[in-house]
Amino acid sequence: MDTTMWAGLLGLGGALVGGFVTFLVGQRAVSAQKARDAEAESAQVRATLQAIRDEVDVLSEVHMAAAGTRIRESSSAAPIGLFYPVSANYFTAFEANADKIGRIENDVLRRQIIRTYVHFKALFDTIRLNNRFVERLEHAEAVHRATPESHAPIALNEAALHWQQTADYAPLLKESNNRAMESAATLALMIDQWLAEPARGVGAKPLR
């Protein structure tokens, strides 16, 4: 084999080795980038879950201190005479991270997040309706107190109707209150379990 052929073979071998090394370096770079992307995604998911956990915790705490405890302890057979102004702007973290919730690759946890916020919204809607019932009842009772004795029976009957309407709504208000608080407690526990595992994040196995 002459010198030219050897040189050619050595050159080919060098090219192959060089190409293989370049391929390996490229693959490692791609793998490293994928690892960084997955880590960033996992960190974002964890931050989203922590924000939702904090919001639900504060919502539960404030609600129970303001009215939730009274609703829970009230009778189911009488009006819950509570006027409790509620706003529509309580779900800041949930609304700001709604697009990130879909990245949580855990069906059970993702559904529990949505379920909890639906239950909170239903609770606040229930409270608003109870507020209207209470306003009407208080107005009817005030009218009855100011009505001359000759017309008192009519006013008393009107007040009684509003009393019964508000009393009939009490079990629904109590049920909605309990459901929201139970959902919040369940969600907090699930998120705590998720965050306690360093490997939790994108692509993690579902909670059991």
Side-chain angles (χ1 to χ4, degrees), residues 49-193:
L49 288 173
Q50 186 63 63
I52 289 173
R53 168 71 169 84
D54 292 343
E55 180 169 81
V56 168
D57 189 53
V58 171
L59 275 173
S60 301
E61 180 181 344
V62 171
H63 168 68
M64 291 305 290
T69 300
R70 180 175 172 184
I71 293 171
R72 183 185 62 196
E73 296 176 351
S74 293
S75 170
S76 297
I80 299 178
L82 171 72
F83 188 82
Y84 179 27
V86 291
S87 167
N89 301 316
Y90 291 125
F91 310 131
T92 305
F94 177 78
E95 292 172 354
N97 293 284
D99 61 324
K100 300 180 183 67
I101 293 174
R103 300 179 187 177
I104 301 170
E105 296 186 2
N106 181 295
D107 295 343
V108 178
L109 179 56
R110 193 171 59 248
R111 282 197 298 267
Q112 186 61 35
I113 291 172
I114 295 171
R115 181 182 297 111
T116 299
Y117 279 96
V118 168
H119 286 169
F120 265 112
K121 186 179 184 305
L123 170 61
F124 294 149
D125 288 344
T126 304
I127 289 171
R128 290 189 187 96
L129 185 53
N130 189 72
N131 287 345
R132 289 200 289 272
F133 288 153
V134 170
E135 283 184 311
R136 293 170 186 170
L137 172 58
E138 290 179 348
H139 176 72
E141 289 178 337
V143 169
H144 173 246
R145 289 192 296 270
T147 299
E149 187 176 346
S150 58
H151 294 86
I154 296 176
L156 177 61
N157 182 62
E158 182 72 13
L161 289 174
H162 284 289
W163 188 96
Q164 190 60 55
Q165 181 184 50
T166 311
D168 289 343
Y169 198 66
L172 298 177
L173 178 56
K174 289 174 65 66
E175 179 184 355
S176 184
N177 184 71
N178 292 339
R179 183 173 58 232
M181 293 304 100
E182 289 171 1
S183 287
T186 299
L187 178 60
L189 179 61
M190 291 177 68
I191 291 178
D192 286 346
Q193 291 175 345

